Amino acid sequence: EVQLVESGGGLVQAGGSLRLSCAASGFTFDDYAMSWFRQAPGKEREGVACISKNTGSTYYPDFMKGRFTISSDNAKNTVYLQIDSLKPEDTAVYYCAAGLLCRSPVDYWGQGTQVTVSS
């Protein structure tokens, strides 16, 4: 059974930091690119970061660069998202996802973890 289990979300004040974790199981972790998406209330889900395990390359939307850092521990089948200088507009449910490539359709989704940033 494929599982992507996110953790690390919570309530944090603006300006603070969080590190989200996603533990993967049930598929060959090294064969997949891992991504983070988020969905704010009333908005569409958007991609915020991706890491290609084959090359180690990371990808971020232009508007995300600088505050978000994705990393992967292949020995633990875990991917992380470090978010610094949090802003109220970062409030969203953050989802972990796996696809063959960073721009491929997502094959597997996690259940999401809530991040709430207070001003």
Side-chain angles (χ1 to χ4, degrees):
E1 179 188 6
V2 172
Q3 284 192 316
L4 295 174
V5 181
E6 300 98 333
S7 60
L11 175 63
V12 63
Q13 287 190 331
S17 297
L18 277 178
R19 189 175 81 155
L20 307 181
S21 300
C22 172
S25 62
F27 63 100
T28 305
F29 186 71
D30 290 352
D31 288 348
Y32 285 78
M34 298 299 296
S35 300
W36 286 94
F37 291 76
R38 71 181 184 184
Q39 187 166 19
K43 295 188 177 181
E44 292 187 355
R45 191 173 298 188
E46 61 182 356
V48 300
C50 185
I51 185 166
S52 169
K53 251 77 74 18
N54 289 338
T55 65
S57 298
T58 57
Y59 304 91
Y60 307 92
D62 286 342
F63 61 91
M64 292 295 177
K65 289 181 180 177
R67 296 192 300 118
F68 288 63
T69 305
I70 188 171
S71 61
S72 177
D73 185 336
N74 293 348
K76 296 182 178 179
N77 284 7
T78 299
V79 63
Y80 305 96
L81 183 69
Q82 177 75 31
I83 313 174
D84 298 316
S85 303
L86 279 156
K87 305 176 181 180
E89 51 264 42
D90 293 322
T91 294
V93 178
Y94 284 73
Y95 297 91
C96 175
L100 289 180
L101 299 172
C102 279
R103 289 181 173 84
S104 297
V106 171
D107 291 313
Y108 309 118
W109 288 98
Q111 83 289 348
T113 185
Q114 176 71 48
V115 172
T116 303
V117 184
S118 63
S119 57

